[in-house]
Amino acid sequence: MTLRFHSSAGRRMAIGARTLLAVVGLSFALGAALVVSGCSGSKKEEAAAPKVKRYPVHGVIVSVNTAQHSIMMENATIPGYMPAMTMEYLMAPGDLANAKAGQHIRAMLVPSDTGAPRLEDVWPDDRVDKDILKQGESRLRENTFDRGKEAYREVGEKMPTFALCNQDGKVVTADYFRGKMVMLDFIYTRCPVANMCPLETAKMVQAQKLAKKKGVKNVEFVSITLDPENDTPGVLKEYAKDRNIDTSNFSFLTGPQQAVRDLLTQFGVIEQFRGDIIRHTLATLLISKDGTIAFRADGSEWSPEDFVERMKS
Ligand SMILES: [Cu+2]
């Protein structure tokens, strides 16, 4: 299997995707754990292993102090680090913007010699949300498995159901988009290849602006991350803010790794980790109001005008 960064021949890429899916299907049939174990994730973790020891922490936010870039949090016992207590933690701007008193979060604690410890990899951890995400993940897993070699959803088929988190840390399910057109793609925030994700996002924004200008109503723009390990809600929030993206109808979604993997499989997007870089293909899709995949463009050569025209018809 070869992965291609820039494909002018979308068809060939789609065939590549199908070949991969056939391989995946076969591995299911053989009971191999190729997809389930998410081989790419662990390799990447090793490569990017931080030198400072980090500790998983759960807690409830007591207060948010934006000026100090910190929160007060009542944390549960952190094995090997400290007992349960209420203390100050520093947070990145995106996480801070999402933080609210009373919220349950989980994160990785990074100790500091000079001041308050820092929280990274911050995820919402409210019970109900966790349950919805987990259910969504296992339903999608079963669905991908059941579809086997037909996991890839062609134009004309319904989009899969899912439960993910948006850039505000809110759980969003596929139901949220029912009755709306959805323009959907897959990107990741650290993508270093200018004419891949950065261009893709810029064009989605163009499409969003053009749709608004042309009076297209009831359309949502959705970018799902290829890299949920890094792209937490807070990271996505900063990504959108840095680009001045109007998030009133543009969501950046992330969530359980396996859920993202299954969506990639079902939408026919291929990714492969090379150290910290993800080699991947691009697909931009238009989903109609009843949830049917109406159109897809493989590669980076689609035009915002074309998509907006299709939204109008
Ligand atoms: Cu990219």
Side-chain angles (χ1 to χ4, degrees):
M1 174 190 67
T2 51
L3 286 185
R4 294 142 54 79
F5 267 119
H6 320 288
S7 176
S8 50
R11 239 181 95 232
R12 244 191 294 166
M13 192 143 57
I15 290 164
R18 253 164 248 156
T19 313
L20 175 76
L21 294 170
V23 173
V24 169
L26 182 67
S27 75
F28 282 153
L30 296 171
L34 173 70
V35 169
V36 185
S37 66
C39 48
S40 47
S42 54
K43 229 182 278 164
K44 191 169 144 261
E45 227 161 349
E46 270 167 41
K51 285 177 190 77
V52 181
K53 186 165 168 50
R54 307 195 312 163
Y55 300 85
V57 53
H58 293 255
V60 186
I61 297 174
V62 176
S63 61
V64 180
N65 189 341
T66 309
Q68 301 295 322
H69 312 287
S70 71
I71 57 164
M72 289 297 286
M73 184 172 79
E74 192 184 326
N75 61 263
T77 303
I78 306 170
Y81 186 71
M82 65 180 194
M85 64 171 79
T86 299
M87 60 174 281
E88 187 186 24
Y89 291 94
L90 298 174
M91 263 186 166
D95 294 322
L96 204 62
N98 284 341
K100 275 175 201 67
Q103 207 174 48
H104 289 252
I105 58 167
R106 66 183 160 88
M108 294 301 286
L109 179 156
V110 186
S112 161
D113 295 337
T114 51
R118 194 158 36 89
L119 296 181
E120 293 180 347
D121 294 341
V122 178
W123 288 89
D125 202 38
D126 284 306
R127 183 91 177 264
V128 177
D129 289 352
K130 265 194 323 198
D131 287 349
I132 298 171
L133 288 174
K134 197 150 199 184
Q135 264 179 32
E137 183 183 19
S138 52
R139 228 181 273 163
L140 195 54
R141 185 81 287 269
E142 273 170 38
N143 181 253
T144 307
F145 188 85
D146 288 346
R147 291 176 67 96
K149 273 189 260 184
E150 265 81 61
Y152 172 72
R153 292 180 184 247
E154 313 259 359
V155 168
E157 287 188 77
K158 293 274 191 238
M159 78 163 171
T161 58
F162 59 81
L164 296 170
C165 269
N166 71 8
Q167 73 282 353
D168 300 324
K170 300 230 162 63
V171 170
V172 172
T173 66
D175 291 344
Y176 174 80
F177 301 105
R178 197 164 290 165
K180 294 172 181 181
M181 284 180 286
V182 181
M183 186 168 170
L184 174 93
D185 70 358
F186 292 86
I187 53 113
Y188 75 109
T189 63
R190 293 189 290 184
C191 184
V193 186
N195 61 354
M196 289 294 282
C197 301
L199 176 65
E200 176 70 20
T201 296
K203 284 167 72 176
M204 282 283 271
V205 170
Q206 279 175 32
Q208 182 195 28
K209 287 184 174 155
L210 190 62
K212 192 174 177 185
K213 198 173 135 195
K214 301 268 175 175
V216 177
K217 298 234 159 52
N218 239 359
V219 59
E220 291 279 334
F221 297 81
V222 176
S223 290
I224 301 177
T225 181
L226 289 149
D227 183 21
E229 201 183 324
N230 177 72
D231 290 345
T232 59
V235 168
L236 294 173
K237 184 137 184 157
E238 271 184 77
Y239 181 80
K241 192 164 176 279
D242 288 349
R243 286 158 186 77
N244 276 315
I245 295 173
D246 167 12
T247 51
S248 61
N249 67 339
F250 197 157
S251 315
F252 291 86
L253 304 184
T254 183
Q257 296 233 6
Q258 188 58 57
V260 171
R261 296 282 106 79
D262 282 319
L263 286 173
L264 292 173
T265 302
Q266 298 210 10
F267 282 115
V269 176
I270 305 169
E271 60 153 9
Q272 190 184 61
F273 283 93
R274 282 281 170 87
D276 255 3
I277 294 177
I278 303 174
R279 290 176 58 116
H280 63 97
T281 58
L282 279 178
T284 311
L285 299 106
L286 190 63
I287 317 281
S288 62
K289 286 176 188 162
D290 68 351
T292 306
I293 301 169
F295 179 68
R296 73 177 278 149
D298 283 288
S300 56
E301 279 161 31
W302 57 272
S303 86
E305 290 78 12
D306 177 42
F307 266 82
V308 173
E309 275 309 307
R310 289 171 190 277
M311 288 171 195
K312 293 198 303 191
S313 56

